[in-house]
Amino acid sequence: MRKKKLILSFLVLSLGAYSQELGLEEILKRVESSNPEVRVKELDVKIKEKGKKKAFRNLVLPPVTIESENDWETAKKEGFGFEKIEATIPLFQGGRMVNTYKKSKSELELAKAEQRLAVYNWQEIGVDAYFSNLNYRKQREITEATIVALEKQRNRLEGLYSHNKMIAKSEVLKVEADIENNKAINYENIQKERSSKEILMQLLGYNLDKKVVLDEFNSADYLSSLGSIKKVEDPKNTTLGKAQSLMVDLAEYDVKIAKADLYPILYVKPSHTFKEENLDTNKYETVNEGRVEIGIRYTFAWGATLDSVDQSEYQLDQAKIKYDNNIQGIELDMRNKLGEIESLAGQSEAQKKRVNLLRENLKIDNLRYDNELVTTFDYLNSVNQLKSAEEDYYKLQRSLVLAVIEYENLYK
């Protein structure tokens, strides 16, 4: 028996040794590098980088055509070889290629901004899962201690009832029912604690079964580490504000690209012919002749181009209206978040004092309950008050940290 206990103790210590400790700061850093959705946004940036390079090459490098096209009989006699090479160099396209390149640059910057915003968003979700886990862990611990106290009371009452019938059987049954009720509550606490932990593991890009222990959160240390909180500044300079501005830029480029179809295309086409078919003899002869052509091309689209221009201009108007409204919304959010932080900091400190008082009260009631100085009803009332206070405290801490992160993210 002793040997089995030693083995069990060794296994518990081994599991604890391989468990990784995670605090709030580590969670926020891990989201930046390993969250699956953030990594998807990183690939979006790489895609836009390739799009920018492609647009630049299209802008500075003319398309080159190398031609060798014959019927089968001629190919059998003459073989294959380069007959002609030519390049079309646009001199004027109404600004299409230039604005397409500028648009690709803005798309890249928008992708980078959206990547940063994705980090902020998933950090906020990670904070929510972190505090949910801490709350359910604390609820489980309180309930487990309650069950232990109730079981002591049940054993005492059963002894009294069995020996001299000094108490009614109903008193034993009531305590037994309270024990079962708390066991049922803890089944739910355990399930929610596990679920919130697995949600956090997914957010951080870990295996769902990874052994982790979440560090307890200290709101006083957290607030002291922040220092002074910035006051409301120009929302246009924030990542969110810049993202909104880039959307207006993209709409403006779309208008310019659409208007490019209203102009004719002027181009120069240098070419060099190596061989050419002699129409009299139907044989290919070496020519080695170079020439330069200048051309103009215009496509008449029966008013469709004007409709496209009108559409893009309406979309630009929409983008400008959304920009003005969203910038005001960002400024309003910043003002509200600052007030919310100040309020939540005060609430959190008051709730912390309340929790400490109720913890001390429960310790006293535990002793009184062991000595039969309070009823089970009064004891469970103290337990429920503490559980409710602990839950409210975690909610306030979560709201406070989220408010600070959301407020700071508005500035980034």
Side-chain angles (χ1 to χ4, degrees):
M1 185 68 182
R2 186 177 178 183
K3 186 177 179 181
K4 289 182 178 178
K5 288 183 178 179
L6 287 172
I7 293 173
L8 181 60
S9 300
F10 175 76
L11 289 173
V12 171
L13 289 172
S14 298
L15 288 173
Y18 287 101
S19 295
Q20 179 180 347
E21 292 187 1
L22 275 180
L24 180 62
E25 187 176 350
E26 289 79 9
I27 289 171
L28 297 179
K29 288 180 179 178
R30 175 79 185 180
V31 168
E32 290 187 37
S33 60
S34 302
N35 178 267
E37 296 295 334
V38 171
R39 287 159 58 197
V40 168
K41 290 296 182 181
E42 289 175 356
L43 291 173
D44 279 343
V45 172
K46 292 181 179 179
I47 291 169
K48 297 302 181 184
E49 285 176 344
K50 287 296 182 182
K52 176 187 170 184
K53 290 179 179 178
K54 183 171 67 174
F56 180 74
R57 291 191 179 103
N58 289 338
L59 177 63
V60 300
L61 299 175
V64 176
T65 302
I66 299 175
E67 182 179 314
S68 179
E69 185 178 34
N70 299 304
D71 59 65
W72 177 241
E73 292 299 324
T74 303
K76 284 194 295 183
K77 290 187 294 183
E78 302 292 336
F80 283 100
F82 294 138
E83 297 170 12
K84 184 178 182 182
I85 182 171
E86 65 181 22
T88 303
I89 304 173
L91 299 178
F92 177 74
Q93 292 180 299
R96 172 183 293 278
M97 299 302 293
V98 172
N99 287 305
T100 298
Y101 173 64
K102 289 180 178 179
K103 180 182 177 182
S104 69
K105 290 173 64 178
S106 293
E107 287 175 337
L108 174 58
E109 291 306 311
L110 181 59
K112 290 179 179 178
E114 289 177 343
Q115 179 192 356
R116 292 191 293 272
L117 293 172
V119 171
Y120 306 155
N121 179 61
W122 287 103
Q123 282 180 335
E124 293 163 12
I125 296 172
V127 168
D128 185 72
Y130 166 68
F131 279 105
S132 292
N133 184 272
L134 293 184
N135 173 52
Y136 290 122
R137 184 174 72 188
K138 181 62 69 176
Q139 296 293 312
R140 173 180 57 78
E141 291 170 354
I142 294 173
T143 306
E144 285 173 352
T146 303
I147 292 172
V148 171
L150 288 171
E151 286 176 341
K152 287 182 181 179
Q153 179 73 345
R154 178 197 60 192
N155 294 337
R156 184 166 53 247
L157 293 176
E158 280 184 341
L160 291 172
Y161 175 76
S162 300
H163 287 90
N164 47 23
K165 314 292 191 215
M166 289 183 64
I167 63 165
K169 178 68 173 177
S170 60
E171 295 299 319
V172 180
L173 296 177
K174 287 177 184 177
V175 176
E176 190 72 47
D178 288 330
I179 292 172
E180 296 304 319
N181 179 57
N182 278 273
K183 285 182 179 179
I185 290 171
N186 241 14
Y187 283 126
E188 182 179 10
N189 288 332
I190 291 168
Q191 188 276 327
K192 289 184 175 179
E193 182 185 1
R194 178 192 58 78
S195 176
S196 58
K197 176 256 181 182
E198 291 180 353
I199 289 172
L200 186 58
M201 292 302 97
Q202 182 193 20
L203 292 175
L204 301 181
Y206 283 132
N207 185 287
L208 297 183
D209 295 321
K210 183 176 177 62
K211 301 296 182 183
V212 296
V213 177
L214 298 184
D215 293 341
E216 192 61 55
F217 178 74
N218 189 308
S219 59
D221 291 345
Y222 176 73
L223 287 174
S224 64
S225 69
L226 292 176
S228 60
I229 298 177
K230 297 177 182 178
K231 300 299 180 182
V232 178
E233 297 175 357
D234 189 353
K236 295 178 183 178
N237 295 328
T238 65
T239 298
L240 200 56
K242 290 175 181 177
Q244 297 296 323
S245 177
L246 286 167
M247 291 180 185
V248 175
D249 291 344
L250 291 175
E252 288 177 341
Y253 289 132
D254 283 336
V255 171
K256 293 176 181 178
I257 292 170
K259 285 183 176 180
D261 287 338
L262 296 174
Y263 301 95
I265 296 174
L266 179 65
Y267 63 91
V268 60
K269 185 164 70 174
S271 63
H272 187 89
T273 303
F274 298 99
K275 292 193 300 184
E276 190 173 60
E277 184 181 8
N278 188 317
L279 298 178
D280 296 327
T281 63
N282 292 328
K283 291 184 178 181
Y284 275 79
E285 299 174 352
T286 300
V287 176
N288 280 331
E289 178 183 70
R291 61 189 299 183
V292 177
E293 302 174 54
I294 295 179
I296 186 170
R297 184 170 68 247
Y298 181 76
T299 302
F300 181 66
W302 300 97
T305 301
L306 289 174
D307 291 335
S308 296
V309 171
D310 289 341
Q311 283 180 321
S312 57
E313 286 180 338
Y314 293 146
Q315 289 168 346
L316 174 58
D317 291 339
Q318 283 182 329
K320 289 179 177 179
I321 293 170
K322 289 179 180 178
Y323 174 76
D324 291 336
N325 184 59
N326 289 337
I327 290 295
Q328 286 185 340
I330 295 169
E331 184 173 6
L332 179 60
D333 285 343
M334 293 166 84
R335 292 176 183 273
N336 289 339
K337 283 297 173 188
L338 185 58
E340 186 180 345
I341 290 169
E342 294 170 349
S343 173
L344 287 169
Q347 292 180 61
S348 182
E349 189 61 31
Q351 187 67 15
K352 180 181 179 181
K353 292 178 181 178
R354 180 169 181 262
V355 166
N356 289 335
L357 291 170
L358 289 173
R359 283 176 184 168
E360 187 65 28
N361 176 68
L362 185 58
K363 287 180 182 178
I364 296 170
D365 277 357
N366 262 320
L367 294 172
R368 297 175 68 198
Y369 189 50
D370 286 342
N371 291 284
E372 300 182 58
L373 297 176
V374 294
T375 64
T376 301
F377 177 82
D378 290 331
Y379 171 69
L380 290 178
N381 185 53
S382 295
V383 170
N384 289 332
Q385 282 186 338
L386 177 59
K387 288 168 68 176
S388 177
E390 289 277 14
E391 185 171 12
D392 290 342
Y393 183 45
Y394 278 114
K395 286 179 180 177
L396 282 170
Q397 289 184 108
R398 178 182 61 191
S399 298
L400 173 61
V401 174
L402 282 174
V404 171
I405 291 175
E406 289 168 1
Y407 183 75
E408 289 189 332
N409 286 347
L410 288 169
Y411 275 101
K412 294 178 181 178

